Amino acid sequence: MKKIVLLGASGSIGLQTIDVCIHHKESFEIVGLSVGHNIEVLKDILTKVSVSYVCTAQHHKELIEEYPNINFFHGDEGLLQLVSLSYDVLVNALVGFVGLIPTLKAIELKKDIAIANKETLVVAGKFVNEAVKKHKVQLLPIDSEHSAIWQCLKGNDRKEISKLIITASGGSFRDKTREELKNVTVKEALNHPNWNMGAKITIDSATMMNKGFEVIEAHWLFDIPFEDIEVVMHPESIIHSMVQFKDYSVLAQLGLADMRLPIQYALTYPNRLEVYNSEALDLRKIGSLHFKEICFNRFPLLKLAYEVGKKQGTLPAVLNAANEEANALFLKGKIRFLDIEDLVMDACKDVWFKQDPNLEDILKADALAREYVRRKIEGLK
Ligand code: MG
């Protein structure tokens, strides 16, 4: 029986993690979970799982009255209290930079980390890796591409890798030209062709910022130089990523677009369990798989992610923070789709940079980049 603390329970990955745990009650027990502001979803979750600890973004007096058997925490401090409980694996399904500090705290307390929160690795991969090594814990990838690579590497020597090939569906606007992107709407951007995900990541997929983050994430998870990480467009999202070895043998992991598989694998590794109510992949129904080169001019944020990843320092924190702000502004209808790219690229050029940052510098770069984007938007009004 593995005891789990789940951060970000009301999001897409969080709810699917709960689904996995409910259907394998013999294997997993969720002892504590966090949600942000989504109290209705929390109440629904509490009809399905009985947990002893819950953290919400804000204090809710009525929750304490309604659920007398649950211990409630709140805010950033609450997240740290939650990760300090007694359990085996932290599932970090938070979205954004907010996941960093609780992750580092959990590692310090010797918890294994199943990580869906890619922003944490983007901004502070070096710190996370150092902590993982120091405290001898496991970092278990949930992102489907990284789970695929991880599965392909099982039983193989990492020294024999020649490159990682990350597949990209291309997001909701993959067939549009840059000219056609000028006036796209939020609704169109949220309509991903293959995956049903949260709003932030769906927009990040449309700009390919998500794929850029995944390149940086792969660099930290598998210790592979950026030159040896390739992104290939694969519209069907059946091959979730591949590893090419020195002898040019390529291993791929295939499956339908169901995030419960990588979530569950992170929790059962190195073993496997059935995925409840899932469908087997039938390649005869799929018929054919397609691959094509990704044009960096069409997706400048993917190109930028490679540059930022190589340059390191505080730059990944700036890239991420500017993107979080711009993404949120687009979702609120305050900027146009292509403004996201401009804001992120400008922030990476203009915001304070330090080559060998400590953790405080990372937090400072994050705050400065957010302020930069907000000021720039004020200036545009
Ligand atoms: Mg992914």
Side-chain angles (χ1 to χ4, degrees), residues 118 143-145 210 214:
K118 67 189 82 186
D143 210 346
S144 62
E145 293 78 1
N210 180 58
E214 289 179 353

Side-chain angles (χ1 to χ4, degrees), residues 55 73-82:
C55 179
F73 307 132
H74 66 274
D76 292 344
E77 189 53 38
L79 284 180
L80 297 182
Q81 287 173 284
L82 196 63

Side-chain angles (χ1 to χ4, degrees), residues 90-119:
L90 178 75
V91 177
N92 181 350
L94 291 168
V95 178
F97 185 79
V98 62
L100 173 61
I101 301 298
T103 302
L104 290 174
K105 176 81 180 169
I107 295 172
E108 212 174 279
L109 295 168
K110 301 202 182 310
K111 314 293 186 189
D112 289 333
I113 313 285
I115 190 145
N117 174 225
K118 67 189 82 186
E119 294 90 343

Side-chain angles (χ1 to χ4, degrees), residues 220-241:
W220 292 117
L221 280 171
F222 305 110
D223 191 24
I224 300 293
F226 286 94
E227 293 74 16
D228 299 331
I229 305 174
E230 197 172 273
V231 178
V232 171
M233 184 91 87
H234 167 46
E236 290 89 2
S237 295
I238 294 296
I239 294 184
H240 297 308
S241 278

Side-chain angles (χ1 to χ4, degrees), residues 204-261:
D204 284 348
S205 296
T207 60
M208 282 267 195
M209 186 75 272
N210 180 58
K211 209 47 64 179
F213 285 165
E214 289 179 353
V215 168
I216 299 175
E217 187 185 3
H219 167 77
W220 292 117
L221 280 171
F222 305 110
D223 191 24
I224 300 293
F226 286 94
E227 293 74 16
D228 299 331
I229 305 174
E230 197 172 273
V231 178
V232 171
M233 184 91 87
H234 167 46
E236 290 89 2
S237 295
I238 294 296
I239 294 184
H240 297 308
S241 278
M242 299 174 254
V243 179
Q244 180 186 290
F245 294 91
K246 278 181 185 167
D247 59 359
Y248 295 152
S249 175
V250 176
L251 294 191
Q253 186 262 337
L254 287 73
L256 295 172
D258 184 344
M259 280 309 292
R260 293 177 306 163
L261 192 157

